[in-house]
Amino acid sequence: MYTCVCITGPVYDPSRVILQPVSHLVQFCYRLLSRSDDNVLFVLLCRPSPQVIFVSSDFHLVAPDGMKYTQPSITQGRTDVVSVTPWLAPVVWEETFNEKLLDSIYMKKNISVVATVFAVGKYIMFLKDFLETAEQFFFVGFRVSIYVFTDRPNDVPHVKMAEGRQLNVLPVPSSNRWQEISARRMELIQKLIEEKLINKADYIFCLDVDSKFHGRWGTESLGGLVAVIHPGYYRDDRSRFPYERRPISRAFVAPGDGDFYYCGGAFGGLIQEVHQLAKTCRKNFEDDAKEGIEAAWQEESHLNRYMWTNKPSKILSPEYLWQDFKARNPEIKIIRFSGVVKNYAAIRPN
Ligand SMILES: CC(=O)N[C@H]1[C@@H](OP(=O)(O)OP(=O)(O)OC[C@H]2O[C@@H](n3ccc(=O)[nH]c3=O)[C@H](O)[C@@H]2O)O[C@H](CO)[C@H](O)[C@@H]1O
Ligand SMILES: [Mn+2]
């Protein structure tokens, strides 16, 4: 969908070059509009013929003038992993991107990134490490707002945030079923976006709290709809993926279907895309619940079903959600974010 902006005025020569003042006006309107719309179409009405400029907020990547960096190769690169899907979405692995180049492109766009994290009941114990390591590794140097959903707001640790970074605490009720805490995240993410984020932030990542950052997680992860490959199944045949297999559930994925198995513990993308995902998964989860069904892995099952139809436009390799108890496989050159080892019986309410 395009937003169309018509600029009329005291008219210019039919020059092929956009005149300076018009260019500034276009850029100004673009900045105002591009938060809410993916694409903006500018029509400059001038004599004798109109000029039309298409500007896309996400795919228009402008590098700063004069930036120097290593020449990219079209024949050499990683051969031990696949870095593009059959629908041509990039799969992000270490050594497939230039972080300095990407940072400078997105710095110019002045993006803002939101992270959500839930710390309900005893899971509050993971929050300090999560927040402290996010300060070290998650979008360092960018505008970041972290939203913590918790039933224990008084126990939220005081973590010093760098300039341009904020911590917001939102109260949520506790629950005596961990499955519900985990699954209700979709509803709360949907509401957060509707009430606070639309037109205010660009990207969002929704992350498990029982995890820490160990390496850079930055602009290379940005995309429309972003999914993370689950570390437990990425070498397996899809028949072994733990999708919901009962056709009665709205999370059902038929045998022979499915691309990858994605994590419930990390996903994200543009605010509008994640809103669509959260709204759909929430509705399907609730409609299932009305019929007494709970999918095998709660919202993770619904997310996998959603992503089968709605292909992610960027995929993050298991570098972006490893598990501390797993030995590092050779293709994992860096662990960026990893789930800590935990004693389920001691921390979950049921
Ligand atoms: C790495 C990964 O992909 N993890 C997913 C996985 O198991 P996990 O075993 O990692 O799930 P989990 O126990 O971490 O629960 C998911 C998240 O819900 C929150 N929480 C949960 C229980 C609780 O009492 N308090 C609380 O705050 C917390 O943010 C936690 O990180 O399967 C779950 C299915 O339900 C979710 O899809 C998780 O995201
Ligand atoms: Mn977890």
Side-chain angles (χ1 to χ4, degrees):
M1 214 186 70
Y2 284 90
T3 299
C4 181
V5 181
C6 292
I7 301 174
T8 58
V11 177
Y12 313 88
D13 287 334
S15 153
R16 278 190 189 80
V17 183
I18 306 169
L19 299 175
Q20 266 307 75
V22 184
S23 160
H24 284 154
L25 186 56
V26 166
Q27 279 179 25
F28 175 72
C29 296
Y30 170 63
R31 258 185 242 120
L32 279 183
L33 289 163
S34 60
R35 289 216 185 293
S36 53
D37 293 282
D38 276 7
N39 300 293
V40 185
L41 163 66
F42 289 98
V43 181
L44 306 188
L45 298 180
C46 44
R47 271 192 303 255
S49 60
Q51 288 197 33
V52 177
I53 310 163
F54 285 94
V55 186
S56 163
S57 59
D58 310 306
F59 306 112
H60 195 77
L61 305 179
V62 182
D65 280 344
M67 191 182 169
K68 300 272 178 251
Y69 57 93
T70 325
Q71 180 186 355
S73 172
I74 205 75
T75 53
Q76 315 247 292
R78 284 193 63 170
T79 51
D80 58 335
V81 290
V82 173
S83 56
V84 67
T85 67
W87 59 96
L88 299 179
V91 186
V92 183
W93 294 93
E94 178 66 350
E95 291 173 20
T96 60
F97 60 90
N98 182 321
E99 54 188 62
K100 271 211 198 122
L101 173 60
L102 280 164
D103 281 355
S104 60
I105 291 170
Y106 284 97
M107 201 49 95
K108 264 173 94 97
K109 283 156 103 57
N110 191 25
I111 55 160
S112 71
V113 181
V114 166
T116 61
V117 66
F118 287 72
V120 179
K122 292 183 185 156
Y123 278 59
I124 193 89
M125 70 168 71
F126 300 114
L127 192 56
K128 188 166 188 283
D129 281 353
F130 174 93
L131 293 173
E132 284 180 353
T133 58
E135 279 299 290
Q136 285 173 269
F137 297 112
F138 185 75
F139 285 93
V140 175
F142 286 84
R143 291 195 288 143
V144 172
S145 296
I146 300 187
Y147 285 85
V148 174
F149 290 84
T150 183
D151 57 341
R152 301 181 183 191
N154 296 332
D155 297 339
V156 171
H158 295 282
V159 172
K160 193 171 164 4
M161 310 282 287
E163 209 192 315
R165 299 171 72 95
Q166 303 172 5
L167 184 63
N168 308 277
V169 179
L170 299 174
V172 287
S174 24
S175 165
N176 46 24
R177 283 192 75 240
W178 68 263
Q179 295 90 337
E180 193 167 306
I181 298 170
S182 187
R184 275 203 67 211
R185 289 185 288 178
M186 289 297 184
E187 174 196 341
L188 294 162
I189 290 164
Q190 179 196 343
K191 286 192 178 146
L192 172 73
I193 295 177
E194 289 168 3
E195 288 164 15
K196 296 207 158 67
L197 305 182
I198 292 267
N199 299 338
K200 300 227 167 58
D202 301 303
Y203 295 94
I204 181 169
F205 288 93
C206 309
L207 305 169
D208 262 20
V209 73
D210 56 334
S211 342
K212 286 194 233 179
F213 293 88
H214 301 272
R216 174 197 160 92
W217 179 322
T219 48
E220 73 285 355
S221 66
L222 296 175
L225 180 62
V226 181
V228 181
I229 302 277
H230 196 292
Y233 307 92
Y234 71 98
R235 291 164 158 203
D236 292 347
D237 188 88
R238 61 182 163 195
S239 61
R240 298 173 58 124
F241 292 169
Y243 292 139
E244 171 56 57
R245 299 300 190 180
R246 294 167 297 172
I248 188 174
S249 167
R250 287 155 186 84
F252 172 64
V253 178
D257 284 356
D259 300 302
F260 307 107
Y261 191 74
Y262 304 113
C263 291
F267 58 89
L270 281 174
I271 296 285
Q272 305 91 296
E273 286 286 336
V274 175
H275 178 252
Q276 190 62 37
L277 162 97
K279 195 172 154 188
T280 309
C281 290
R282 173 206 177 174
K283 179 159 195 321
N284 289 340
F285 183 85
E286 289 178 357
D287 290 350
D288 266 12
K290 283 183 204 139
E291 293 170 13
I293 307 156
E294 185 173 273
W297 289 101
Q298 296 79 35
E299 82 298 350
E300 184 173 88
S301 306
H302 288 279
L303 174 132
N304 271 280
R305 173 65 189 82
Y306 182 88
M307 300 257 188
W308 165 237
T309 305
N310 304 273
K311 304 296 192 203
S313 59
K314 184 169 276 182
I315 290 190
L316 307 181
S317 68
E319 295 166 5
Y320 289 81
L321 188 35
W322 197 249
Q323 283 166 340
D324 286 357
F325 67 80
K326 268 178 81 73
R328 186 148 66 88
N329 291 333
E331 63 274 13
I332 306 294
K333 299 196 181 219
I334 173 175
I335 293 172
R336 302 171 188 281
F337 187 58
S338 180
V340 301
V341 177
K342 61 188 193 290
N343 176 353
Y344 283 102
I347 52 156
R348 281 180 170 172
N350 59 307

